[in-house]
Amino acid sequence: MKAQALHGHLDALLLAVLEQGALHGYAIIEALRARSDGTLDLPTGTIYPALRRLERAGHVASTWSTVNGRERRTYQLTDSGRGALAGERAGWRDFQLTVGRFLDPGSPPTTPA
C-alpha cells in the first residue's frame, strides 16, 4: 500500500502503534508492517516526518539513547496523544459508517430526517 493512500490516516496509525509502548523509529515501521500483515511497508521518509509532526503537536515525546554504540530516538505517546487517538478512533467509526452506507451492500439504508 502506498503512503499516499494513507493520506489523513498515518498520524492515527502511528499513535495507535505507540499506544502499546515506546518504540524507536525502525520498530515503529516494523510494527506497522506486522500489524498490517505486510500491507503497510512505509519508507523512513514517510514515517520520520510524521513522527516529528506529532512531536511538535505534543502528541508524541522522544528521547535519545545509545544502544550497541548507536544513537537512536525512542518515541512514546503523551496524554495529549492518547486524547488525539481517541478522537481519531471516533472519527474513523463515523467515517466507516457513512461510507459504508454507499459501499457496503449489507448496510441498512438510512431515511432522511
Side-chain angles (χ1 to χ4, degrees), residues 34-54:
R35 285 178 65 176
S36 70
D37 291 330
T39 303
L40 298 178
D41 190 12
L42 302 173
T44 57
T46 297
I47 299 301
Y48 287 108
L51 288 168
R52 284 192 293 275
R53 184 175 57 251
L54 289 169

Side-chain angles (χ1 to χ4, degrees), residues 4 17 34 37 40 48 59-61 64 80 82 86 105:
Q4 188 174 359
V17 165
D37 291 330
L40 298 178
Y48 287 108
H59 301 324
V60 169
W64 284 98
S80 172
R82 283 180 189 65

Side-chain angles (χ1 to χ4, degrees), residues 8-110:
H9 302 289
L10 179 58
D11 290 1
L13 295 173
L14 292 171
L15 294 173
V17 165
L18 291 171
E19 183 179 36
Q20 303 300 312
L23 294 170
H24 59 86
Y26 184 73
I28 293 169
I29 292 169
E30 286 296 309
L32 287 167
R33 190 178 298 131
R35 285 178 65 176
S36 70
D37 291 330
T39 303
L40 298 178
D41 190 12
L42 302 173
T44 57
T46 297
I47 299 301
Y48 287 108
L51 288 168
R52 284 192 293 275
R53 184 175 57 251
L54 289 169
E55 190 169 21
R56 281 192 307 271
H59 301 324
V60 169
S62 69
T63 56
W64 284 98
S65 60
T66 304
V67 178
N68 296 326
R70 295 178 58 180
E71 292 284 317
R72 71 177 176 191
R73 196 173 212 163
T74 300
Y75 299 87
Q76 66 183 26
L77 202 58
T78 63
D79 288 341
S80 172
R82 283 180 189 65
L85 179 56
E88 290 284 351
R89 284 185 169 135
W92 176 252
R93 283 189 292 274
D94 291 344
F95 179 80
Q96 265 186 306
L97 287 170
T98 301
V99 173
R101 291 180 184 126
F102 296 92
L103 300 181
D104 184 6
S107 290
T110 58

